Amino acid sequence: MAEPLVLALDTSTTVAVGLARGGEVLGTAGVADRRAHVEQLTPLVQRCLADAGLRPADVDQLVVGLGPGPFTGLRVGIVTAQVLASALRRPWRGVCSLDVLARQHFVEHRDADDVGRAFVVATDARRREVYWARYDADGTRVEGPRVSAPGEVPRLPVVGPAADLYPDLLDGVLGPRTLDAGVLAAHGPDLPDAGREPLYLRRPDAAEPTRRKSVLLPRGPR
């Protein structure tokens, strides 16, 4: 029996799509614009499948990165995965996007001189904050994910998109700076299950008012 075809989506930072079968990456596609999630994700899925000579019906499983990340971007990726899984009648699972970067780092640098050292994966949370998680040398998450000021991140080697943003506060080292959706597709089924809820870690900027505003004009003196 052929290995299952896995379609992977992640919109925690950029827009990224990957395809893999049995651990072999068949294709990737991505857009670096963090504001183009809605417009770009579905066309990227179609292009990635077409370039590999495959159709949506060939997909056996979907994996989606749950973040942490900004509210709108995460919702686009997760809802798209839900819709595709429902339309194709295929299972889907969510993983922590930081775990994907940790797996990338372990795979790419397991033969490096600093192998055996714990490390941190950090991404940009804006507002002078970062999303981060701490990992053992083999890429197993042992703390997080969390959001905090860069100065509150453990003093360990740091990889990920935020590694170079705060050089005076984070010990950035050689390692991945962008999430590889091919790694997400190839290794996502084996990464820890993060459930199906987006990892916002903080409330969205837009919030419902806690109290109704009065539309009546104040009464003047009689």
Side-chain angles (χ1 to χ4, degrees), residues 100-215:
V100 183
L101 286 154
R103 181 62 61 92
Q104 287 176 232
H105 183 60
F106 173 71
V107 171
E108 295 173 7
H109 298 277
R110 54 188 163 191
D111 297 324
D113 293 338
D114 60 352
V115 68
R117 296 185 63 189
F119 62 95
V120 166
V121 175
T123 61
D124 184 15
R126 305 175 188 175
R127 307 181 194 172
R128 295 286 297 178
E129 292 182 325
V130 296
Y131 300 116
W132 62 272
R134 183 167 62 92
Y135 295 83
D136 280 341
D138 64 357
T140 300
R141 177 157 40 97
V142 294
E143 183 181 2
R146 297 184 179 181
V147 59
S148 71
E152 298 175 17
V153 175
R155 299 299 293 183
L156 291 169
V158 178
V159 300
D164 302 325
L165 293 179
Y166 306 99
D168 54 333
L169 298 172
L170 299 178
D171 183 17
V173 297
L174 183 65
R177 295 298 191 263
T178 58
L179 185 144
D180 185 340
V183 172
L184 175 57
H187 297 272
D190 302 321
L191 290 174
D193 191 336
R196 296 192 171 190
E197 295 298 321
L199 300 172
Y200 295 135
L201 301 191
R202 63 187 181 198
R203 295 174 63 86
D205 290 334
E208 294 184 4
T210 57
R211 181 174 67 178
R212 290 185 179 181
K213 293 182 178 180
S214 174
V215 295

Side-chain angles (χ1 to χ4, degrees), residues 69-80:
F71 182 87
T72 302
L74 287 185
R75 291 299 301 171
V76 170
I78 295 168
V79 170
T80 300

Side-chain angles (χ1 to χ4, degrees), residues 11 63 157 170:
T11 53
V63 179
L170 299 178

